[in-house]
Amino acid sequence: MADRFRITLAQLNPIVGDIDGNAAMAFAAWEQARDAGADLVAFPEMFITGYNTQDLVMKPVFYRAAMAAVEAVAARCADGPVLAIGGPWCEDDSLFNAYLILKGGRIGSKVLKHHLPNETVFDEVRLYDSGPLGGPYSVGNSRIGSPICEDSWHPDVAETLEETGAEFLLIPNGSPYFRNKYDIRLNHMVARVVETGLPLIYLNMVGGQDDQVFDGATFGLNPGGELAFRMPVFDESVTHIDLERGDDGWRIVPAEIVPQPDEWEQDYRAMVQSLRDYMGKTGFKKALLGLSGGVDSALVAAIAVDAIGAENVRCVMLPSEYTSQASLDDAEAVAKALGVHYDYVPISDSRAAVTQTLAPLFAGRDADLTEENVQSRLRGLLLMAISNKFGEMLLTTGNKSEVAVGYATIYGDMNGGYNPIKDLYKTRVFETCRWRNANHRDWMMGPSAEVIRPSVIDKPPSAELREDQKDSDSLPDYPVLDAILDILVDQEGSIADCVAAGFDETDARRVEHLIYISEYKRFQSAPGTRLTSRAFWLDRRYPIVNRWRDQG
């Protein structure tokens, strides 16, 4: 019997729907595995189609194309290492999330996902049929068990594989990032190792797909739960890992354990990566945004520059008579520090024209929020005109605090194609700006110096839509607001929970009301990077028409 087994782990970034491109990527990694003398080259869950496909995978012409592509890959990779790849598979009018084992020019084995996740961003119960609990597949003289993603979070699949002869576990995943997700994965996988006594390899993909970002961090555990290796976080990597068989069975030969960045760096990398991939995978080369002199737009500008380069980012200042000189100075300073193209487009004349046009209709009525929103919508109109004229994707700059309570103007500052800070509360926006000023990494395309000067971060937040306006005029101070939002949104807590945490009941009820009445805005808002397990979009789906309020 062989006493050494080499597996090539392809932690790569597929594109949803690019079946031919994903197949070509798989073949290139297979060639690297062949040249390295590997016995097996493994790809993540649903790699041939990209992940998460959502309802696209139910279209027969789509899943048939994916199945045909896998069969073509099998034929092309007949002479060399076995290839294991995720994809849809249809049998007897049932559609499965499958892991397909290609050897000898054909599909030699099929693993069908048993546990279908049906929470947070996953709707697999509506997409797939549940496969049976199965046994391992053979590669050479080794027997491998492959629980598919969610299957590894439950003990029964791994236990069944161990009982039917699996010698180690290879787990293909499409596991998207949220803050501290790695620790949750690791704890579950240690449990599977302890229960089965088998070595385990957890293979994850990388890259952005709509709001989700797959963070890689592929790792291996030896019996007893010892970490044997870890691949990079967020970076593509094709890595060769060896296992050795001794008297006690297989063990992973220890390899590099790539350091884990802290949560601030991982959040920032997720925002950069998601924007980079969202633009790259949809075909946009350039972006623009309204740069107001405030902290949110400054952070989005920095993220955009780090994602696609300063030469591809346009920032536009659109001042009104309420825009302070400090905001003008701060916006220009940020633009210069980042090295972006900077345009100055005043809106006072346009606002006066709209005011004059509406004057006969509004006669006898006092100025109110209507006039404030006109300014925001004028800015949205002008930014969309620039976007259309130059083919640059408009970025939205509203943070999670504003998105939660509707402190944003629909068809105004909510205009845009993507919002990288959509899941970042305002208090974390401030800290993320400070983190970016103090840190630079190779994956950032922007400058290493301070890019957001302290005056941008330290001044009281203001929309500057009327004289001496402050956000605190309309909302609780952000530390209070964000703490209440964390209870009501992220923890799905109650008004009583807010009061028990020391917050004023009136504030909590007001925030709850704002959350519910703003649902229609979120329904129409741009997608944005998912950083938590309670992001606004697939994670949290509430009705727009909703009279319920917590009566406590």
Side-chain angles (χ1 to χ4, degrees):
M1 295 179 68
D3 61 1
R4 198 167 182 95
F5 188 94
R6 173 162 285 186
I7 179 169
T8 297
L9 300 172
Q11 178 179 287
L12 297 174
N13 183 355
I15 299 176
V16 166
D18 186 9
I19 293 173
D20 290 342
N22 297 337
M25 201 185 311
F27 180 73
W30 177 85
E31 289 185 308
Q32 293 183 56
R34 181 191 60 194
D35 295 344
D39 299 284
L40 171 68
V41 55
F43 296 86
E45 176 183 20
M46 294 296 289
F47 186 84
I48 196 69
T49 59
Y51 194 66
N52 188 338
T53 62
Q54 299 180 276
D55 286 6
L56 177 62
V57 78
M58 293 193 292
K59 197 174 187 68
V61 69
F62 178 76
Y63 65 68
R64 287 174 190 146
M67 292 166 66
V70 171
E71 291 173 329
V73 169
R76 194 177 185 190
C77 300
D79 185 17
V82 173
L83 189 151
I85 190 166
W89 197 259
C90 186
E91 288 184 353
D92 301 323
D93 294 325
S94 294
L95 182 64
F96 300 100
N97 179 333
Y99 203 51
L100 305 162
I101 315 305
L102 317 184
K103 51 185 175 181
R106 62 184 185 86
I107 299 172
S109 303
K110 303 183 192 76
V111 180
L112 307 178
K113 193 171 184 177
H114 178 69
H115 291 289
L116 303 175
N118 202 48
E119 73 284 328
T120 64
V121 297
F122 299 108
D123 290 309
E124 292 206 353
V125 169
R126 69 180 271 133
L127 304 179
Y128 303 107
D129 293 284
S130 174
L133 287 171
Y137 53 90
S138 296
V139 177
N141 291 325
S142 302
R143 291 174 62 78
I144 305 168
S146 285
I148 301 173
C149 198
E150 183 77 11
D151 284 345
S152 67
W153 291 55
H154 301 267
D156 56 344
V157 177
E159 287 177 357
T160 299
L161 288 166
E162 187 270 330
E163 290 167 358
T164 52
E167 297 173 277
F168 66 88
L169 300 176
L170 166 65
I171 302 172
N173 291 273
S175 180
Y177 172 80
F178 61 74
R179 199 173 297 138
N180 300 316
K181 178 79 170 285
Y182 174 82
D183 293 336
I184 299 172
R185 296 179 190 135
L186 185 62
N187 289 336
H188 279 280
M189 296 311 107
V190 168
R192 300 295 85 80
V193 169
V194 170
E195 291 157 3
T196 63
L198 300 178
L200 179 151
I201 294 171
Y202 184 100
L203 171 60
N204 197 20
M205 67 176 61
V206 293
Q209 169 58 32
D210 292 348
D211 66 320
Q212 296 160 50
V213 192
F214 299 92
D215 54 315
T218 295
F219 62 88
L221 299 170
N222 271 320
E226 177 188 5
L227 186 64
F229 71 91
R230 182 170 59 223
M231 290 164 61
V233 180
F234 294 104
D235 290 331
E236 288 190 293
S237 178
V238 176
T239 300
H240 313 294
I241 295 294
D242 292 322
L243 293 93
E244 289 183 343
R245 181 163 24 209
D247 293 339
D248 297 328
W250 287 106
R251 290 187 69 85
I252 301 168
V253 177
E256 182 182 10
I257 297 176
V258 178
Q260 277 275 94
D262 65 23
E263 68 175 49
W264 295 97
E265 178 171 342
Q266 290 197 51
D267 270 10
Y268 192 81
R269 177 68 187 272
M271 291 185 286
V272 169
Q273 191 68 46
S274 68
L275 179 59
R276 181 181 292 162
D277 278 348
Y278 188 82
M279 294 188 64
K281 293 177 179 182
T282 57
F284 278 97
K285 301 291 193 296
K286 295 178 180 290
L288 81 147
L289 65 137
L291 192 64
S292 68
V295 69
D296 300 315
S297 62
L299 180 58
V300 171
I303 291 167
V305 168
D306 284 334
I308 60 173
E311 69 278 11
N312 295 313
V313 178
R314 178 193 302 267
C315 290
V316 186
M317 169 50 108
L318 301 110
S320 74
E321 60 268 39
Y322 301 119
T323 303
S324 68
Q325 187 60 47
S327 291
L328 295 171
D329 294 342
D330 285 340
E332 186 174 4
V334 169
K336 287 182 176 178
L338 289 169
V340 299
H341 181 97
Y342 181 62
D343 289 316
Y344 183 81
V345 183
I347 68 166
S348 296
D349 290 348
S350 300
R351 181 172 181 269
V354 172
T355 300
Q356 183 178 355
T357 300
L358 292 171
L361 190 63
F362 288 0
R365 294 179 177 267
D366 294 335
D368 55 19
L369 188 62
T370 305
E371 284 71 21
E372 294 183 27
N373 285 342
V374 164
Q375 296 172 68
S376 181
R377 291 190 173 116
L378 272 172
R379 291 185 172 114
L381 171 69
L382 295 171
L383 288 168
M384 284 305 304
I386 297 168
S387 171
N388 293 160
K389 184 61 69 176
F390 296 104
E392 300 164 347
M393 188 177 77
L394 176 60
L395 303 180
T396 313
T397 61
N399 61 71
K400 188 174 185 177
S401 308
E402 295 171 351
V403 170
V405 297
Y407 195 64
T409 306
I410 197 164
Y411 322 124
D413 57 317
M414 290 180 67
N415 281 3
Y418 202 76
N419 181 0
I421 66 168
K422 185 178 182 178
D423 199 25
L424 198 67
Y425 283 125
K426 185 78 167 193
T427 47
R428 292 189 74 95
V429 170
F430 294 129
E431 292 306 313
T432 302
C433 288
R434 295 186 180 101
W435 182 90
R436 175 58 180 87
N437 279 341
N439 294 276
H440 192 269
R441 300 290 185 265
D442 290 343
W443 45 264
M444 299 176 182
M445 298 180 71
S448 58
E450 177 183 278
V451 293
I452 303 171
R453 68 183 190 179
S455 59
V456 176
I457 304 169
D458 296 336
K459 66 186 177 186
S462 171
E464 294 192 324
L465 297 176
R466 63 174 184 267
E467 201 71 46
D468 296 324
Q469 184 182 35
K470 300 289 185 293
D471 289 8
S472 56
D473 299 338
S474 305
L475 301 169
D477 288 336
Y478 281 112
V480 173
L481 174 62
D482 289 356
I484 293 174
L485 289 171
D486 178 71
I487 294 171
L488 296 179
V489 175
D490 295 74
Q491 301 179 46
E492 290 289 8
S494 65
I495 298 297
D497 293 325
C498 296
V499 173
F503 298 105
D504 181 78
E505 182 176 344
T506 302
D507 282 345
R509 291 195 181 281
R510 182 161 164 255
V511 170
E512 180 203 46
H513 178 69
L514 291 172
I515 291 170
Y516 287 141
I517 66 170
S518 302
E519 196 63 44
Y520 81 101
K521 291 186 179 182
R522 287 188 290 274
F523 192 82
Q524 300 178 65
S525 65
T529 314
R530 178 182 187 248
L531 301 174
T532 70
S533 60
R534 296 302 287 167
F536 290 121
W537 195 35
L538 295 180
D539 280 310
R540 185 184 183 279
R541 291 170 253 187
Y542 271 63
I544 294 173
V545 176
N546 170 25
R547 287 192 179 183
W548 186 86
R549 298 293 183 268
D550 182 0
Q551 300 303 316

